[in-house]
Amino acid sequence: MNIAEIGLGGDNVRRADGLPRWLGGSRYAVAFWITLARYRPQSISVHAGHHHFEGRCLTVTVANGQFFGGGMWISPHSDPGDGVLDVQISTGPKRQA
């Protein structure tokens, strides 16, 4: 497993899948800007170990690796060799995405 996302990230992948293949890895970057403009934060509740988050967020990322989707750097602290998955919750504002 590399990365799983819900929210903005999941919508971005769905939109990228609908873009022309000739765009290559840049499909994800193009889809990101289209998706970001239309996306609205969602209310969530996340329990991970002893940590709990409840509120509105842009995306929840569970990552084993740092990069995905043609080289987008999504989880800078993830390390596939450390034996743990990192959970990252992005609460915004959208300009930080």
Side-chain angles (χ1 to χ4, degrees):
M1 179 179 149
N2 186 35
I3 291 175
E5 286 188 280
I6 61 169
L8 176 66
D11 283 359
N12 185 56
V13 170
R14 180 182 47 80
R15 188 171 308 278
D17 283 343
L19 293 176
R21 298 278 181 216
W22 59 263
L23 288 171
S26 65
R27 288 183 314 151
Y28 294 97
V30 171
F32 172 77
W33 293 108
I34 296 168
T35 305
L36 182 65
R38 299 177 181 167
Y39 192 79
R40 299 292 172 253
Q42 304 295 312
S43 294
I44 64 157
S45 179
V46 176
H47 300 271
H50 299 312
H51 302 281
H52 175 75
F53 174 86
E54 192 163 333
R56 297 180 66 75
C57 78
L58 292 173
T59 191
V60 176
T61 306
V62 178
N64 195 33
Q66 295 183 12
F67 300 93
F68 82 127
M72 293 179 72
W73 193 30
I74 190 70
S75 186
H77 301 291
S78 293
D79 176 2
D82 68 6
V84 298
L85 295 173
D86 293 294
V87 178
Q88 177 176 299
I89 300 171
S90 301
T91 58
K94 289 195 321 184
R95 69 176 180 264
Q96 289 179 341

